[in-house]
Amino acid sequence: MNIPSSLADKIKSARNVFVFTGAGVSKESGLSTFRGDDDSIWNKYDPEINATPEGFYSNPALVWNFCRDINLFTHAKPNPGHLALAQMESYYDTFTIVTQNVDCLHEQAGSTDVVKIHGTCDLIRCTKCGHRAPASNFDFTHEFTPDNLPKCEKCGALYRPDIVWFGEYLPEEAINRASAALQRCDLMYVIGTSGEVSGGYGFAQHAAAAGATVVEINPKRSSLTYFADYHLAGPSGEILPLLLDILKNS
Ligand code: OAD
Ligand code: ZN
């Protein structure tokens, strides 16, 4: 792929970068997207049952089995896209990744300023007292039934995944950090997200209106493409290393 020279100039001259990522950035690590591909998760599972508080409380075993089946707790590895983003950081004053992904692949790749607006897969949280425990303390490979659900080591109530479900608020601290990064950005990357939930529309709209250069990386068009100055159509694991090379060679 040829990167337009006008975009290369913007990439080199920007100082504060806001990166908004979704499931697509982890696709080349073997994780499924939620929408957009034939094998996407919401083509196979009902989000009302598997990703809402109501669904969880009516059948927690089913939701834990769903989490296992979509590999929420398995150890995928960062792909060249995550690794390129981590290396880009040193070329800018600030480089904030706001991710909808609950996997820990940006952190594992070495990115240091990662804001997780949908929670995280490395913890589970008590539904009663809020105590958090490392997910690695538990075995998520077996079949869950009402008799073997993970229970809080402090109070005995049910644990739940420490992620944000449909109908729940986004974590306030994460949103505050995302807003601060949004205000200062002069370059925004929108990577591997359909943009259908969680403020993605507002983030892209704000950055575009404030004059930041908006660059989308996605093999397909999304609901955020409208705001993009550049749409780089392809997998992020291939395109991000090319963008890193622009910085390395400058
Ligand atoms: P989606 O699954 O909605 O969108 C994934 C996007 O990644 C699609 O636009 C694909 O075209 C694109 N894509 C696929 N392969 C790619 C690749 N190799 N490189 C780059 N892009 C690629 O994922 P999100 O936008 O992250 O929330 O979904 C947002 C939220 O909806 C998720 O966090 C989850 C889901 O329901 C909850 O569970 C609450
Ligand atoms: Zn508890």
Side-chain angles (χ1 to χ4, degrees), residues 1 31 40 59 67 78 97 100 119 122 148 151 175 208 224:
M1 164 178 291
L31 298 175
S40 288
N59 194 343
C67 292
I97 299 181
Q100 299 161 92
D122 57 356
N148 66 5
K151 298 275 176 61
I175 290 303
L224 306 185

Side-chain angles (χ1 to χ4, degrees), residues 114-186:
V114 182
V115 181
K116 298 175 84 163
I117 61 173
H118 282 178
T120 187
C121 72
D122 57 356
L123 296 173
I124 60 176
R125 183 172 96 228
C126 177
T127 51
K128 191 166 172 204
C129 76
H131 174 256
R132 287 180 162 88
S136 57
N137 288 358
F138 296 81
D139 172 17
F140 290 102
T141 56
H142 62 81
E143 183 75 11
F144 285 98
T145 67
D147 301 325
N148 66 5
L149 297 169
K151 298 275 176 61
C152 177
E153 39 201 61
K154 300 276 181 220
C155 77
L158 259 187
Y159 274 127
R160 57 166 282 176
D162 195 14
I163 63 178
V164 177
W165 284 318
F166 290 108
E168 296 188 311
Y169 289 111
L170 301 180
E172 194 177 341
E173 193 255 355
I175 290 303
N176 290 342
R177 282 173 63 202
S179 302
L182 184 62
Q183 300 303 327
R184 65 180 174 241
C185 80
D186 48 7

Side-chain angles (χ1 to χ4, degrees), residues 14 16 31 39 64 81 85 90 96 124 128 156 166 168 174 186 194 211 216 245:
N16 296 294
L31 298 175
D39 60 347
W64 281 113
L85 285 171
S90 65
T96 305
I124 60 176
K128 191 166 172 204
F166 290 108
E168 296 188 311
D186 48 7
S194 62
E216 180 175 51
D245 283 344

Side-chain angles (χ1 to χ4, degrees), residues 21-25 27-28 33-37 40 42 51 100-101 118 164-166 191-197 217-222 234-237:
T21 66
V25 78
K27 171 118 174 157
E28 290 147 279
T33 57
F34 293 93
R35 309 172 184 79
D37 301 309
S40 288
W42 299 146
Q100 299 161 92
N101 299 344
H118 282 178
V164 177
W165 284 318
F166 290 108
I191 308 172
T193 178
S194 62
E196 306 217 350
V197 295
I217 303 173
N218 193 318
K220 297 183 180 160
R221 293 177 66 85
S222 77
S236 47

